[in-house]
Amino acid sequence: MRGAAHVTRAACAAAVVLAAGACGGGAPAGGPDGIVTSSWGDPQNPLEPANTNEVQGGKVLDMIFRGLKRYDPRTGEAQDMLAERIDTDDSVNFTVTVKSGWTFSDGEPVTAKSFVDAWNYGAHLENNQRNAYFFGYIKGYDQVHPASGRPTAQTMSGLKVTGERTFTVELAQKFSTWPETLGYAAFAPLPSSFFSDRDAWLARPVGNGPYAVDSYTRGARMSLRRWDGYPGDDKARNGGVDLRVYTDSNTAYTDLTAGHLDLVDDVPAAQLRNVRADLGDRYINAPAGIIQTLAFPYYDPDWNKPGQEKVRRGLSMAINRQQITETIFQRTRTPAKDWTSPVLGPDGGYDEGLCGVDCTYDPARARKLIAEGGGIPGGRFRITYNADTGSHRQWVDAVCNSVNNALGDDRACVGNPVGTFADYRNQITQAKMSGPFRAGWQMDYPLIQNFLQPLYYTNASSNDGEWSNGTFDRLVDQANAETDPAKAIETFKRAEGVVRDQMAAIPLWYQNGSAGYSERISNVSLNQFSVPVYEEITVG
Amino acid sequence: MGRYVTRRLLQMIPVFAGATLLIFLMVNVMGDPVAGLCGERECDPATAARLRAEFGLDKPVWQQYLTYMGNVFTGDFGTAFNGQPVIELMADAFPVTIRLTLVAILFEIVIGVGLGMLTGLRRGRPVDTGVLLATLVVIAVPTFVTGLLLQLLLGVKWGWIRPSVSAEAPLDELIVPGLVLAAVSLAYVTRLTRTSIAENRRADYVRTAIAKGLPRRRVMTHHLLRNSLIPVVTFIGADVGALMGGAIVTERIFNIHGVGYQLYQGILRQNTQTVVGFVTVLVLVFLLVNLLVDLLYAVLDPRIRYA
């Protein structure tokens, strides 16, 4: 490989002469001003804080924005960033004080108004923001974002600017851990240039983070450069980051191994076998806040009979998680032991003893439980999944094999692929699932609440199986109203116990973030959202 | 000639309308694209309704189609889900794919016709057998295998090229992808030229030309090659459309942000506007190229005349 590098350089030099810059990135400068090149995917939606709900857009927001709180890249703990103080006496009324001395990269100071205007914009129905529901806890959200009909107000009544750097928030219900949700990108402040000329802003977003956007060619690349006026203590330790859009993660990986790219944050499944040999310890495989589960259609009477939780527990025991994560995922997944994620830590509500025997492979007990529960509805079932991304086909087939082996019936379980993700989501929202289906959850913020409430609360936004349980709902309400965070987490864990007893969804495995990087850069790590911590990367 | 061209152009209208309608229906059958816009969770109903209205998805399909076609005639191809006008995507993607296609066509003409002549004139010799075997191999191996193999060898192992093409996609970076894209067609062109040449070599007019004492070179180019190229031109002409549409695999392997990439993204995200827009333009390209091929006949073979 060493010899090849010389040829590469010679070829690059020749190409540069021929096409002026064909080798991209120009001369690879090292040191504090070195530029990191990284793979990127085309963001699905326009790049606005409250409109970005996938990793690729979120990656950029994490570089160019800082909000009131920030999740520590290592512990996931919500720490004050722009917030000087967030005070409350009753978990309903909060007073927020913004630190002084912060500006956007265009020089405009970040004030209380920057936050309040941004949040009101994000919540308002007519702005079509995909993440508007994040503001749903704030009083007056119903008026700016009614479930049907036109908005009756322009701003949320629960938000009031009380000074240059202070504003008050009134929630519609008690929510003790609400301040800890404020690290999410949707809560970022926006400069006035966003409101005066949105198109220009979208063409070149301006934020208040360690990086500023230098140039942006949609669908191709974004160049970010260190913003030297950044007042925070997480200043960028490199000169900037060039994000390059790749159509296929395999090509990005090939570019990395050929020395044309510094960082890929999505090692393709097909390369997992070679990655150790190719990159050695420059391969990162770190836990992320993502869990995969099998959900059930509780709207289908066949799948919602009393006593059927035994069938679901039996199915859970019929899945050999250990084997599947090792052979198919090359240990980039960890068998699930509860319904949250290890990134929360034991203090945050992760409990590796929670699922216990119910998540342990035991074909004999699986058979027994399924028989006791009245058997699989109709004798056989299909697991629905989308076949376009995420190598879902492989693991669904493996899960079915495992279940079939355990039950001694090689036709009990088969996969049911759906062509595209959009169509798959479409069938789910129309409640058309006839059996178990793939469900994945990537946390919005590292809170146990985020792993339970949106997924299992009655009529919650991502409760796709329409599971409903009074005890669970009551416990979640109780936990949210709890002013002591430790007690709140304890109550959430009791709620999670209900999910386990009913086996509302079968937890499969936690997903890791995987990344690989070149010899040019060091100090590379992934945060809990499996996004590289770009500002810490050093070059040379 | 003028009337023939007019008639052909008029015939394009129903073909164009039919093709777009079909694509429109096919993309629409897949259901509501807004369902996939909010990631693994359901869009809240109010926002989903607003998005549907924004993209005109709340109207019946026939009405969507009519509105769409009406807009197309004013040059408005709608907006992709990321807020970019589709016409902008086209302006970025088509030049890249056209460059790639040109490189591929150039390979087909230079290497394909060249090898075809060589083997056609030396039928049964070792050269002929060798090229025959080589074309068989090229035809049998799928494009993605050739592509990935060349990428691995030239890009990673030997470092002669960059494994991926940069966003601007200059011509020199497109040589290897162009070769990969052309490979299968190139083999066909070789075989086609070979057969055609071998057949015509014994034709009366070639014998006459030689008997007249014309220089061998002139016989080859003006008499033999010109007549032998008619089927080859048909093939290459029809191939232009196929190459542009079929570049999806090649563009994916080499990270070329062309038509294939946009189409792939459009299909994955079920973005009707993108898919229909790009396919519409591809249909137009296909029709125009076919017309061009038909007109070229008359140039190559004066016996073919259009009334």
Side-chain angles (χ1 to χ4, degrees):
Chain A
M1 283 308 287
R2 198 160 285 276
H6 288 290
V7 185
T8 312
R9 239 168 283 155
C12 269
V16 169
V17 175
L18 283 174
C23 270
D33 291 327
I35 307 292
V36 179
T37 52
S38 175
S39 70
W40 196 32
D42 200 12
Q44 192 172 10
N45 305 319
L47 260 179
E48 301 166 276
N51 208 7
T52 298
N53 55 9
E54 35 75 56
V55 180
Q56 302 305 335
K59 202 185 275 183
V60 174
L61 294 181
D62 191 49
M63 284 192 264
I64 64 170
F65 277 109
R66 286 292 179 263
L68 291 169
K69 294 264 187 182
R70 177 147 205 264
Y71 302 116
D72 186 291
R74 255 156 290 280
T75 62
E77 191 194 345
Q79 297 167 329
D80 285 344
M81 196 75 208
L82 266 76
E84 195 169 281
R85 281 198 321 275
I86 300 177
D87 301 318
T88 183
D89 297 325
D90 52 6
S91 295
V92 171
N93 289 289
F94 294 84
T95 308
V96 181
T97 310
V98 182
K99 278 182 192 158
S100 66
W102 282 73
T103 62
F104 292 99
S105 58
D106 63 357
E108 184 187 328
V110 184
T111 62
K113 197 169 175 299
S114 316
F115 284 99
V116 171
D117 286 353
W119 296 6
N120 275 323
Y121 178 88
H124 202 277
L125 177 59
E126 280 166 15
N127 298 324
N128 294 350
Q129 303 286 295
R130 272 91 162 157
N131 284 344
Y133 61 90
F134 272 90
F135 307 98
Y137 292 104
I138 300 172
K139 197 176 175 190
Y141 177 78
D142 301 350
Q143 275 88 55
V144 297
H145 200 115
S148 62
R150 300 180 63 82
T152 53
Q154 284 305 307
T155 55
M156 290 181 281
S157 57
L159 282 181
K160 281 195 184 64
V161 178
T162 51
E164 177 72 14
R165 293 192 287 117
T166 53
F167 64 101
T168 57
V169 186
E170 187 183 351
L171 301 185
Q173 63 174 83
K174 280 193 172 195
F175 188 2
S176 55
T177 46
W178 179 77
E180 298 186 28
T181 67
L182 296 177
Y184 190 70
F187 293 102
L190 283 170
S192 56
S193 62
F194 175 86
F195 302 99
S196 55
D197 189 351
R198 178 169 165 265
D199 286 339
W201 192 91
L202 285 179
R204 199 179 150 197
V206 172
N208 65 328
Y211 292 97
V213 177
D214 189 49
S215 70
Y216 179 24
T217 315
R218 270 200 244 192
R221 76 153 73 89
M222 180 183 265
S223 292
L224 296 125
R225 290 294 172 265
R226 181 181 59 215
W227 174 39
D228 288 317
Y230 179 70
D233 46 17
D234 53 341
K235 284 186 181 31
R237 294 165 66 190
N238 48 57
V241 179
D242 277 347
L243 299 174
R244 287 197 211 141
V245 173
Y246 280 88
T247 53
D248 186 342
S249 54
N250 276 297
T251 315
Y253 185 80
T254 311
D255 250 1
L256 174 74
T257 48
H260 294 296
L261 189 73
D262 290 328
L263 177 61
V264 295
D265 59 356
D266 175 22
V267 177
Q271 304 285 0
L272 287 174
R273 245 171 242 284
N274 321 323
V275 72
R276 288 269 172 219
D278 286 346
L279 299 174
D281 54 4
R282 287 177 287 116
Y283 164 62
I284 303 174
N285 180 18
I290 306 170
I291 182 169
Q292 299 280 349
T293 61
L294 277 188
F296 293 91
Y298 292 98
Y299 42 76
D300 181 345
D302 279 349
W303 283 97
N304 198 8
K305 287 180 232 164
Q308 218 177 34
E309 68 276 0
K310 283 193 172 169
V311 176
R312 296 193 291 268
R313 281 174 55 205
L315 285 177
S316 173
M317 288 185 204
I319 299 169
N320 193 340
R321 294 172 179 76
Q322 197 70 37
Q323 194 186 38
I324 295 172
T325 49
E326 273 171 26
T327 52
I328 291 182
F329 292 118
Q330 305 281 325
R331 293 174 208 267
T332 57
R333 307 281 190 280
T334 311
K337 296 187 168 66
D338 74 346
W339 281 259
T340 66
S341 161
V343 300
L344 295 180
D347 293 341
Y350 169 65
D351 183 354
E352 62 173 20
L354 195 90
C355 191
V357 287
D358 285 358
C359 290
T360 314
Y361 181 58
D362 187 345
R365 281 195 62 189
R367 264 196 306 276
K368 191 162 157 273
L369 272 170
I370 292 174
E372 278 174 17
I376 295 163
R380 54 187 49 135
F381 65 100
R382 305 200 296 170
I383 299 177
T384 309
Y385 62 97
N386 58 308
D388 55 347
T389 51
S391 7
H392 295 311
R393 173 184 292 274
Q394 289 166 294
W395 70 255
V396 169
D397 288 348
V399 164
C400 272
N401 264 332
S402 180
V403 170
N404 290 347
N405 286 341
L407 300 186
D409 172 1
D410 56 355
R411 285 171 59 198
C413 171
V414 286
N416 176 33
V418 175
T420 63
F421 179 68
D423 194 20
Y424 173 71
R425 284 300 316 169
N426 200 29
Q427 294 190 18
I428 286 177
T429 34
Q430 291 180 2
K432 276 188 181 164
M433 292 295 151
S434 55
F437 53 97
R438 173 190 86 76
W441 181 252
Q442 167 145 28
M443 66 177 185
D444 301 311
Y445 26 78
L447 288 179
I448 182 172
Q449 179 265 352
N450 193 241
F451 282 94
L452 297 176
Q453 194 170 355
L455 292 161
Y456 306 111
Y457 198 82
T458 303
N459 292 328
S461 58
S462 290
N463 189 346
D464 291 329
E466 295 179 16
W467 186 68
S468 177
N469 183 295
T471 320
F472 175 83
D473 290 358
R474 216 167 29 251
L475 283 166
V476 167
D477 288 339
Q478 208 180 317
N480 277 326
E482 190 63 67
T483 39
D484 177 20
K487 276 193 192 145
I489 287 169
E490 216 38 62
T491 319
F492 271 122
K493 277 174 74 171
R494 278 170 57 205
E496 196 185 345
V498 180
V499 172
R500 173 199 53 199
D501 295 341
Q502 294 295 315
M503 193 55 82
I506 296 179
L508 294 173
W509 34 74
Y510 313 115
Q511 188 167 327
N512 287 5
S514 63
Y517 56 98
S518 71
E519 285 166 353
R520 259 190 84 218
I521 60 173
S522 39
N523 287 320
V524 184
S525 59
L526 295 175
N527 66 16
Q528 292 81 11
F529 304 94
S530 70
V531 170
V533 189
Y534 284 102
E535 68 271 7
E536 291 183 354
I537 296 174
T538 51
V539 183
Chain B
M1 189 77 165
R3 272 186 59 194
Y4 174 76
V5 174
T6 323
R7 215 169 59 213
R8 283 293 300 267
L9 286 175
L10 283 177
Q11 278 172 1
M12 281 164 69
I13 296 172
V15 176
F16 177 72
T20 44
L21 181 64
L22 270 180
I23 300 294
F24 212 89
L25 291 176
M26 279 196 263
V27 181
N28 267 282
V29 181
M30 291 161 76
D32 181 9
V34 170
L37 271 187
C38 291
E40 291 276 2
R41 70 186 90 219
E42 199 173 330
C43 290
D44 77 271
T47 309
R50 290 244 349 146
L51 287 171
R52 249 175 239 125
E54 187 184 319
F55 296 110
L57 298 165
D58 52 346
K59 304 206 175 64
V61 177
W62 63 268
Q63 209 174 329
Q64 284 182 43
Y65 178 69
L66 287 184
T67 324
Y68 181 81
M69 288 309 281
N71 287 341
V72 164
F73 281 110
T74 60
D76 174 12
F77 282 89
T79 314
F81 288 152
N82 69 355
Q84 233 178 333
V86 174
I87 195 100
E88 239 175 61
L89 296 178
M90 289 181 182
D92 289 341
F94 269 100
V96 174
T97 299
I98 288 173
R99 267 205 299 277
L100 180 65
T101 312
L102 282 181
V103 173
I105 297 279
L106 210 70
F107 274 120
E108 283 182 24
I109 293 174
V110 175
I111 303 184
V113 174
L115 282 180
M117 268 193 83
L118 192 77
T119 51
L121 294 174
R122 287 181 175 62
R123 218 156 50 124
R125 308 264 184 84
V127 184
D128 185 30
T129 324
V131 173
L132 189 82
L133 276 173
T135 53
L136 268 179
V137 169
V138 169
I139 291 172
V141 177
T143 312
F144 71 91
V145 176
T146 336
L148 287 173
L149 207 67
L150 282 183
Q151 184 184 43
L152 188 72
L153 289 179
L154 300 179
V156 182
K157 284 270 183 292
W158 302 330
W160 293 357
I161 59 158
R162 274 191 57 149
S164 72
V165 172
S166 60
E168 295 77 20
L171 269 179
D172 58 326
E173 290 185 21
L174 291 177
I175 291 173
V176 176
L179 189 62
V180 170
L181 180 61
V184 174
S185 304
L186 195 154
Y188 281 120
V189 169
T190 309
R191 308 282 295 264
L192 212 56
T193 316
R194 173 188 175 273
T195 319
S196 197
I197 294 251
E199 233 170 59
N200 289 338
R201 228 178 78 158
R202 271 170 290 170
D204 292 342
Y205 63 86
V206 175
R207 206 174 334 134
T208 313
I210 295 171
K212 274 200 298 186
L214 285 179
R216 186 181 153 80
R217 211 185 139 74
R218 197 173 158 80
V219 176
M220 285 298 142
T221 52
H222 277 67
H223 296 263
L224 183 55
L225 189 58
R226 182 168 163 167
N227 280 290
S228 304
L229 276 187
I230 295 178
V232 179
V233 166
T234 321
F235 179 83
I236 293 181
D239 208 35
V240 171
L243 287 181
M244 287 192 85
I248 295 187
V249 176
T250 319
E251 291 194 354
R252 228 178 115 81
I253 293 173
F254 292 97
N255 195 40
I256 300 169
H257 297 236
V259 172
Y261 163 63
Q262 294 293 351
L263 265 178
Y264 178 75
Q265 291 273 320
I267 293 168
L268 269 194
R269 292 174 183 176
Q270 219 173 315
N271 201 329
T272 322
Q273 317 271 338
T274 319
V275 177
V276 180
F278 274 85
V279 172
T280 304
V281 176
L282 281 178
V283 167
L284 278 181
V285 170
F286 212 88
L287 291 173
L288 283 174
V289 168
N290 269 301
L291 175 63
L292 213 69
V293 168
D294 284 355
L295 295 180
L296 258 181
Y297 279 169
V299 179
L300 284 171
D301 187 348
R303 284 175 302 180
I304 303 170
R305 281 282 180 259
Y306 304 109

